[in-house]
Amino acid sequence: MSEVRLNIIDWEGAVHGTVHGSVSDAVVASLSAEPQTLIEVEAAMARFIRPTEQRPFLSFKAGVNDEPWDAGVVLVDLAARVLASESLYSQPEKEGEVAYHDGTKATDVAVLYRVPDDWVFLNSLAEYKAVRARRRTELAANPALDARPLFYGKALLDFIVGEGLSAQSRASGDQEFTEEEIASLISGIHAKWLITPREELNGESPRDVLLARREHIDFDLHTRQLQWTFLGEGPPCLSRDSFAYRFAGFGTQECVVYYDLVRHLLWECWERIANSGKIKTTEGATAPETAQLKSCLQDLKEEWLEQPQKDFSGRVPALIIENERRRLPSTMSSKDVVIDEDCDICQMMGDDIRMGLGVSFWGLDGCNMDDDFAFSFFRTREEWEADKQRWEEFNREFDRKWKEEHPEDLVDENFESLGFEGNDLIQ
């Protein structure tokens, strides 16, 4: 018993047919790419089954057929984001692995997958029929939101200019800010932008939206790196026409790029206001002056996104974002991996890449971002505070053990605190 009756339903209709259970498992795994149509399911399956000349659902018939067949029935409702299964072949799970099929046979390469959290998996077709209408109504009432026009558009520039003028207007007379004070003010403005709920985001804050899908996208990119490593070829990317691309969430790469972009614009705005003889305060700035400032920031934003950045190893920010949205891991050249010319391991890795025997991947982790909750990857402040406490306890314990095992360092510290150098003890 190895065949199942597979039903796939989207907003426009449904199809059904009988397939080997492994094909059904690949369809389940393809949900990691968030398909919304039958065509998008077929495209997403190419990551798990190498495409052939014949489309996988070409022989399927229109409509739903949930009559039992051989090993059972699997129903995938893309519109309701519900998967129902009554199968003896396998039990679909939200996270797992499937064996990669090279077009002729299954291989030993296991491809990992993780279905988005908002999918519902059921073991009963009867239960599916009871919830499908409600699920569709809920999803229709909360359509997908494209947040990038707000994140990168007029709203961001209006906020930066408004807050920059307001911050500088609080200076009395000819008071000059120190570099440290400016950095603190800019960090505060940046944090305010991230944590303030906005009506355009359905009451959520930009930070909420940035982190909502981060773990899912990071996991999907990681599994594609693994697949690329084991198969020696890059897995298929998302189409720019696909739902998952058009309404893509934000992974770690874009979160870090966005942090640097906003910080860059904040500094540029601050310096232009400070150096201007006219734009000094919110009250003193005229509409043409603020409009000119916003236009300048718009140009700076586009230039920064499209130009190679030193902090990103010479990579172009817009391309980093594009690759992540298409779920394409960023690779490193043979030259990039040789960090130390005298390192034999680095040289070996570089030689492997040059000869096409391996691949190395590049990414951002946010290590240079401000140490504040607003800029962290924790979803709640409680999680962030608990993590900081764990690190503080770890550091205290590490210092305690170090001092016990290296008492000579403690002696050196005591003498140095009195103004002596370590060599003074010898003299």
Side-chain angles (χ1 to χ4, degrees), residues 2-7 16-25 27 56-57 59-60 69-72 74:
S2 59
E3 288 193 343
V4 298
R5 192 186 304 279
L6 175 64
N7 294 262
H16 71 272
T18 57
V19 297
H20 191 273
S22 61
V23 176
S24 176
D25 288 345
V27 170
F57 309 125
S59 62
F60 276 36
W69 173 268
D70 198 22
V74 176

Side-chain angles (χ1 to χ4, degrees), residues 26-42:
V27 170
V28 175
S30 75
L31 300 180
S32 59
E34 305 170 77
Q36 292 287 291
T37 66
L38 181 66
I39 298 299
E40 291 183 3
V41 171
E42 290 183 347

Side-chain angles (χ1 to χ4, degrees), residues 44 48 109 133 139 201 260 305 394 427:
F48 308 97
V109 176
L139 292 172
L201 300 177
D260 281 7
L305 285 170
F394 172 84
Q427 298 173 357

